[in-house]
């Protein structure tokens, strides 16, 4: 039975210079491309689409067929999704998403950056304590506020670029160290109030020192609820 839908990935269409193409209504033009090949257990590539010689040439194989080609035999009776927790083989979707090449796939951002020699570090979005980029952004906004008022687009862009470039490298490093202290504090079970106290107390550390519990007891550092649980 042929697949009901030919799955692909929708991306923004670009011209030869890498600029987005637009429709007549001003929205970005999209195009659908095939998903990249998977990797079979023996290391050989596995196309997720039927070959030209197949009666369903060019169509998506479907999860059951993909898994059967990897050596699984019970896939045809499985639903394509379920809600059973902590079970790796409850359905085709769970089985496929636990395959090594699916689990370890890198995003395009990671691939593009690593190809240029950059390491990608994912941090919690918009978290001013755990994501030091937010602290850098706050620093640059203070610089931006000092720029002369202007309604010209060129001036506004120049002010933004200046503000972003004005964040010193040593300040970025201090923000990063501060974020690491908060991460370590949360990992030790502290709440926000206790983590903030630790961040000020141990400014010279990236993590909590060995005697931090004694310091907390001596200074009676409590949680938001008034207890001293760690």
């Amino acid at each position: 039975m042929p697949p009901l839908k030919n799955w692909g990935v929708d991306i923004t269409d670009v011209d030869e210079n890498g600029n987005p193409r637009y429709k007549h209504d001003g929205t970005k033009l999209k195009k659908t491309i095939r998903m990249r090949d998977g990797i079979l257990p023996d290391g050989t590539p596995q196309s997720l689409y039927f070959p030209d010689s197949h009666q369903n040439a060019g169509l998506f194989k479907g999860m059951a067929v993909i898994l059967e080609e990897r050596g699984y035999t019970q896939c045809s009776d499985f639903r394509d999704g379920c809600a059973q927790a902590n079970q790796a083989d409850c359905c085709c979707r769970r089985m496929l998403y636990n395959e090594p090449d699916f689990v370890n796939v890198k995003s395009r951002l990671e691939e593009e950056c690593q190809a240029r020699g950059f390491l990608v570090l994912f941090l919690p979005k918009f978290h001013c304590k755990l994501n030091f980029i937010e602290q850098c952004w706050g620093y640059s906004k203070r610089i931006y506020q000092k720029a002369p008022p202007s309604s010209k687009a060129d001036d506004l862009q120049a002010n933004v670029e200046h503000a972003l470039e004005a964040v010193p490298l040593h300040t970025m490093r201090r923000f990063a160290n501060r974020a690491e202290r908060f991460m370590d504090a949360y990992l030790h079970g502290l709440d926000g109030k206790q983590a903030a106290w630790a961040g000020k107390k141990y400014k010279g550390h990236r993590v909590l020192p060995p005697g931090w519990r004694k310091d907390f007891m001596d200074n009676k550092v409590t949680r938001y609820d008034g207890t001293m649980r760690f």
Side-chain angles (χ1 to χ4, degrees):
M1 182 176 181
L4 299 178
K5 185 174 182 179
N6 197 23
W7 292 94
V9 181
D10 291 332
I11 64 172
T12 300
D13 193 15
V14 298
D15 58 22
E16 60 276 5
N17 296 319
N19 299 317
R21 298 182 187 273
Y22 293 89
K23 300 178 182 179
H24 295 297
D25 60 2
T27 59
K28 291 182 179 179
L29 185 64
K30 299 288 185 178
K31 67 177 182 180
T32 302
I33 62 173
R34 285 186 173 189
M35 291 180 284
R36 68 174 57 181
D37 292 349
I39 302 176
L40 293 172
D42 61 2
T44 59
Q46 178 193 28
S47 176
L48 306 185
Y49 299 87
F50 289 112
D52 294 338
S53 58
H54 196 275
Q55 62 178 354
N56 296 320
L59 294 180
F60 181 66
K61 292 178 178 177
M63 289 183 283
V65 174
I66 293 172
L67 288 167
E68 287 169 356
E69 292 179 351
R70 294 170 180 239
Y72 297 98
T73 58
Q74 72 274 36
C75 306
S76 58
D77 296 330
F78 279 18
R79 296 173 294 162
D80 62 354
C82 71
Q84 297 184 36
N86 302 320
Q87 188 173 341
D89 58 352
C90 61
C91 61
C92 292
R93 179 178 298 173
R94 189 72 58 84
M95 292 174 66
L96 189 59
Y97 286 5
N98 277 286
E99 286 291 285
D101 55 330
F102 279 76
V103 172
N104 301 319
V105 66
K106 295 179 181 179
S107 66
R108 183 176 179 182
L109 175 63
E110 291 176 285
E111 292 180 345
E112 294 289 343
C113 290
Q114 291 178 6
R116 292 165 172 77
F118 296 99
L119 176 64
V120 179
L121 176 63
F122 291 101
L123 298 171
K125 291 183 178 180
F126 315 124
H127 199 302
C128 58
K129 298 298 195 315
L130 302 183
N131 190 336
F132 72 93
I133 295 175
E134 293 297 321
Q135 299 171 52
C136 295
W137 179 242
Y139 189 106
S140 65
K141 285 194 291 186
R142 290 195 296 271
I143 300 297
Y144 183 83
Q145 290 176 348
K146 300 177 181 179
S150 176
S151 59
K152 296 180 179 179
D154 291 342
D155 291 343
L156 297 176
Q157 180 174 344
N159 292 339
V160 170
E161 293 176 355
H162 169 72
L164 293 174
E165 293 174 356
V167 186
L169 180 59
H170 65 86
T171 300
M172 295 182 187
R173 289 170 175 165
R174 287 206 301 267
F175 290 156
N177 289 343
R178 182 170 182 263
E180 287 191 26
R181 288 196 296 272
F182 268 94
M183 292 180 192
D184 189 62
Y186 288 143
L187 287 173
H188 279 84
L190 304 185
D191 70 354
K193 179 182 176 182
Q194 293 173 320
W197 186 89
K200 295 178 180 179
K201 173 70 174 178
Y202 309 116
K203 288 184 177 180
H205 301 263
R206 293 185 179 181
V207 296
L208 300 183
W212 69 269
R213 285 185 173 83
K214 183 178 184 303
D215 290 338
F216 270 65
M217 296 295 293
D218 293 342
N219 290 275
K220 299 180 179 180
V221 183
T222 61
R223 303 172 70 89
Y224 284 119
D225 59 7
T227 65
M228 295 186 64
R229 291 181 291 108
F230 304 129

